[in-house]
Amino acid sequence: PNDKGSTKDSEPAHIRIARGWNDAFYFVAGDDLLKVDEVTRINATQFFNYLAYRKDKQKKEEFQRNKMALINK
């Protein structure tokens, strides 16, 4: 809860959406505040392709970790 006793779930949808976009921009910028402005200049196709690439990469890495965990049992 914040100072007013509400949670993110009780926020209006437009606020939750804005926070989601903010999170995505910071993710693509590598959590570097100085790069966020550069990220906002990337065209939408490049932006979403990068997000998809990172998601696929994360899934592949997780698969490899799980595979290694099974081998090392």
Side-chain angles (χ1 to χ4, degrees), residues 58-73:
Q58 183 180 17
K59 284 182 179 183
K60 288 175 187 175
E61 290 170 352
E62 183 178 351
F63 176 79
Q64 284 300 109
R65 281 191 303 273
N66 290 339
K67 184 177 175 181
M68 293 306 294
L70 288 173
I71 290 171
N72 293 324
K73 271 191 173 183

Side-chain angles (χ1 to χ4, degrees), residues 9-61:
D9 292 336
S10 66
E11 292 177 333
H14 69 281
I15 298 294
R16 289 193 310 274
I17 291 167
R19 286 186 195 278
W21 277 110
N22 198 43
D23 290 348
F25 288 134
Y26 275 95
F27 175 78
V28 172
D31 288 325
D32 184 341
L33 175 64
L34 301 176
K35 293 181 182 176
V36 171
D37 191 45
E38 292 176 43
V39 168
T40 62
R41 291 189 217 129
I42 296 171
N43 75 48
T45 301
Q46 289 176 307
F47 183 81
F48 288 117
N49 281 341
Y50 180 74
L51 289 177
Y53 159 77
R54 289 296 305 260
K55 185 176 181 179
D56 289 343
K57 181 180 176 188
Q58 183 180 17
K59 284 182 179 183
K60 288 175 187 175
E61 290 170 352

